[in-house]
Amino acid sequence: SDWQAQSTLNSLERLAKMLGMRKLAVLTLCVTHTAAFSTAPPVHAGRVGALRSARAVKPLAMAGLLPTGFSERVADVLGLSKLSSKAGSGMYPIVGDEAIMKKKAHGTSEMPVQKDLRWNCDYETADRICNFNRHYAEYAGYWETTTFLKEVDREKETTYYDSVTGKPLFIAPRGRSFADFEAESKVHGWPSFRDEEVVWENMRCLTNGESVSVDGTHLGHNLPDRKGNRYCINLVSVAGKPTGA
């Protein structure tokens, strides 16, 4: 309820002032202890590679998924509103309309994901996350259980294609080494891309931070940090093969 949410927020604000906790740590605490207020129903899965509920992923992966208005209040208390505004106030991200994710022939897409996804990504998990999902993610670290790290070219850029349409969505690493890309992705639990690594012709961000393809594929979320926009993306969403391949 609203009063429970406000009470939790007030308590966290007092705790932060008393202990001088780092803002990021407090934000993690906020998300962890307010997950119960999320209106999204839990999804349970009993096998590796299956879709997990939001409570099964790292707390920060739920940023932006709290009830309307509450996450904004958390950001205001912690002084993160200016940071988020700064990260999205330039040319990027390119904001898309909610209509992109309207119901189509197959969930939010016109068709299922490709059958033979790269890096041995699970088909059923990919299809649920890409086409019948707006809030959930592959579990943290899932991408490390695939063959991605064994097969990826560490010396050249890799193009990541939409698992549904085969259109290019990201090209990475750009402006950094693969080691930097890998390290950042491992810290956060999901492949993490920066503005210059996005193929903006085919990708958009909605006003709530959800990252989607222009064709309706759910990709992940934009979770900005002090370096700027950081697109936290499900590997199963970008494991497609190029159209015509």
Side-chain angles (χ1 to χ4, degrees), residues 2 9 28 38 61 77-78 95 112-113 128 132 134 147 177 198 200 206 209 212:
D2 289 341
L9 181 63
T28 302
S38 175
V77 167
L78 301 177
V95 178
V113 298
R128 287 197 298 272
F132 298 95
R134 302 293 301 279
T147 60
S177 67
V198 181
W200 288 106
L206 305 187
V212 302

Side-chain angles (χ1 to χ4, degrees), residues 37-104:
F37 300 124
S38 175
T39 57
V43 174
H44 300 286
R47 63 185 181 81
V48 174
L51 182 65
R52 305 293 181 89
S53 75
R55 297 186 188 185
V57 303
K58 291 184 177 180
L60 283 180
M62 288 186 62
L65 303 184
L66 297 177
T68 302
F70 186 68
S71 58
E72 286 83 356
R73 282 178 279 168
V74 171
D76 288 340
V77 167
L78 301 177
L80 295 175
S81 297
K82 293 182 179 180
L83 173 62
S84 298
S85 175
K86 178 180 180 181
S89 60
M91 183 182 299
Y92 302 114
I94 297 179
V95 178
D97 191 271
E98 177 66 27
I100 293 174
M101 301 301 283
K102 67 181 180 181
K103 186 176 180 180
K104 303 182 184 71

